[in-house]
Amino acid sequence: AQMSKAMDLLLLLLLLPCLSSLSLVFPVAKAAYDIVDFGASADGKTDSSNALLRAWSTACSSRNPSTINVPKGRFLLKPVVLNGPCNNTIKLWIQGTLVAPSSYDDKSSQWIGVERVDGLEISGGTLDGQGAALWACKEAGGSCPLGHNSLGIGHSKNVQINGLTSINSKLFHIAIFGSERVAVKGGKIIAPESSPNTDGIHVQMSSGITITGATIKTGDDCISIGPGTTDMWVERISCGPGHGVSIGSLGHSLQEDGVQNITLKTAVFTGTQNGVRIKTWGRESNGFVNGVFFYHAVMKDVQNPIVIDQNYCPGNKGCPNQDSGIKISQVEYRDIKGTSATEVAVSFDCSPSHPCRGIELQDIKLTYKNKPAMSYCKHADGTASGMVVPASCL
């Protein structure tokens, strides 16, 4: 009997490597949940919030990778938060349209919030923020709430947003805060040019963010980059209308995390207010911007194709007669071509107490009314080569 037990143990030890690889031969089963099965209705009128939350709770607690399906149709959704941590990775597959309430009396900062989730894919479909009523309130100068972001990714990791369409957000379309390794691939972000504060994608206090292949048409920044953003890659985007791609505004607070290692490559700006911009408040701050690379951009009738503004002070409140404390260094602009809608296509208005350092311009070919555009520089130091735009101040 003892010999038999020993042989069984030996056989088990020999089989362990094979057993550990069984998952490669026989994949772990995946669970799928349809929000209709949890009580959602595709009529665009019935509140499906609880149905989505129940489906999320079930998927989140499952031990197997899970998919939550939003089928074709319009599903009304009040503000929800999809909370983690979860036991597995989850895919939210949107085939239809999730519709926000047209009213704006709620106090939620996010319409669809994702919090503390590690491993999420959101694919396809449309988010309709129904922001028109709130925009009208703001336009009329009434007492209006700020509004909420259509999709907020907070304190999460390893999130992919693939081929999503977001329209008519009340505030930002996608907001990423305190997160790591978030990828936005493809998709469309659309709101009227007149819609206020409808930034396409806002990133803050986050690292390892990638945005590729997106088309963004909004009433504010196509992409806005806030304090504490590091290691961000943006490539193959189409921007316009809107305010362009902006780092900032920065320096609103004295104690503020810096922005570092930001790359934008291969972008087209059409009819935007700005192209690539860095904007800081004209007030004291210990923040910084270091290692920013703007490569291969085409400007089509852009008002301010290249701009650094360190004297931002809306309404002249809280910062008159002050210098920006944000330290800007090592910013490269290469192969930026096209047309400017104003005579001055390159403007560096830097801080007298903290001048811009290490500005590099290479192959900048911008025209205004079929003639070389002009540049303006103040408190900026760097180099320029291969220029059509005069840059004698560097």
Side-chain angles (χ1 to χ4, degrees):
Q2 294 296 329
M3 180 64 69
S4 177
K5 290 181 180 180
M7 291 298 294
D8 289 344
L9 179 59
L10 179 60
L11 181 60
L12 178 61
L13 291 173
L14 292 172
L15 287 174
L16 276 177
C18 298
L19 292 173
S20 65
S21 64
L22 278 177
S23 61
L24 299 177
V25 181
F26 302 102
V28 176
K30 295 183 178 181
Y33 307 98
D34 193 303
I35 64 169
V36 172
D37 295 334
F38 289 82
S41 177
D43 59 8
K45 299 177 181 179
T46 305
D47 180 16
S48 297
S49 307
N50 288 333
L52 176 60
L53 288 173
R54 286 194 293 268
W56 176 266
S57 178
T58 304
C60 186
S61 60
S62 172
R63 293 291 178 180
N64 296 326
S66 301
T67 296
I68 298 173
N69 180 42
V70 178
K72 293 180 180 180
R74 292 176 64 83
F75 295 87
L76 179 64
L77 204 67
K78 292 182 179 179
V80 296
V81 179
L82 307 178
N83 280 308
C86 296
N87 292 329
N88 61 89
T89 59
I90 297 177
K91 177 178 180 178
L92 178 58
W93 185 23
I94 306 172
Q95 299 178 70
T97 300
L98 296 176
V99 184
S102 58
S103 60
Y104 51 83
D105 55 356
D106 62 85
K107 297 181 180 179
S108 173
S109 61
Q110 319 290 347
W111 170 34
I112 302 173
V114 174
E115 284 288 335
R116 294 176 173 81
V117 174
D118 186 351
L120 171 65
E121 178 184 341
I122 302 174
S123 291
T126 300
L127 307 182
D128 183 353
Q130 294 211 100
L134 178 58
W135 306 336
C137 178
K138 291 181 178 180
E139 180 67 23
S143 178
C144 319
L146 184 62
H148 51 223
N149 306 316
S150 285
L151 175 62
I153 308 296
H155 310 98
S156 296
K157 300 178 182 179
N158 303 310
V159 177
Q160 289 191 34
I161 303 170
N162 299 328
L164 183 70
T165 296
S166 176
I167 63 174
N168 300 331
S169 63
K170 290 182 173 68
L171 198 64
F172 302 163
H173 287 260
I174 300 174
I176 301 168
F177 183 86
S179 297
E180 301 175 26
R181 299 183 296 280
V182 179
V184 181
K185 299 181 180 180
K188 297 179 181 179
I189 296 175
I190 301 171
E193 186 175 5
S194 60
S195 59
N197 308 120
T198 53
D199 292 42
I201 303 172
H202 177 73
V203 181
Q204 188 164 330
M205 300 300 294
S206 298
S207 64
I209 309 302
T210 61
I211 302 169
T212 56
T215 298
I216 307 174
K217 303 178 179 182
T218 71
D220 211 293
D221 293 329
C222 290
I223 299 172
S224 54
I225 301 168
T229 302
T230 62
D231 303 320
M232 181 172 174
W233 184 276
V234 180
E235 185 173 6
R236 291 183 293 104
I237 67 159
S238 174
C239 171
H243 294 179
V245 172
S246 295
I247 297 176
S249 56
L250 305 177
H252 185 268
S253 303
L254 177 62
Q255 303 294 327
E256 187 175 275
D257 291 319
V259 174
Q260 187 168 280
N261 193 21
I262 309 297
T263 299
L264 178 142
K265 180 180 179 182
T266 314
V268 177
F269 298 83
T270 304
T272 52
Q273 184 185 89
N274 306 288
V276 289
R277 174 174 62 167
I278 301 174
K279 181 175 67 173
T280 76
W281 284 74
R283 60 200 300 173
E284 280 301 309
S285 176
N286 66 347
F288 65 89
V289 177
N290 176 261
V292 177
F293 310 95
F294 297 120
Y295 296 162
H296 314 308
V298 175
M299 305 289 171
K300 298 181 179 180
D301 201 33
V302 173
Q303 292 182 38
N304 306 292
I306 297 174
V307 57
I308 295 178
D309 177 11
Q310 289 206 263
N311 291 286
Y312 179 65
C313 189
N316 288 320
K317 296 180 180 179
C319 46
N321 305 315
Q322 294 188 45
D323 296 338
S324 174
I326 298 291
K327 302 174 183 63
I328 297 176
S329 60
Q330 304 306 314
V331 183
E332 296 183 11
Y333 305 86
R334 296 186 183 181
D335 185 31
I336 298 179
K337 303 174 182 179
T339 57
S340 173
T342 59
E343 188 174 7
V344 177
V346 178
S347 177
F348 298 136
D349 187 7
C350 298
S351 168
S353 59
H354 298 91
C356 298
R357 304 292 189 189
I359 304 298
E360 181 179 326
L361 296 170
Q362 182 176 325
D363 296 327
I364 310 300
K365 299 177 181 179
L366 296 164
T367 61
Y368 170 68
K369 293 184 176 179
N370 297 318
K371 296 181 180 180
M374 302 301 293
S375 65
Y376 168 83
C377 298
K378 191 174 182 180
H379 308 298
D381 177 70
T383 61
S385 63
M387 303 286 290
V388 167
V389 179
S392 57
C393 51
L394 293 182

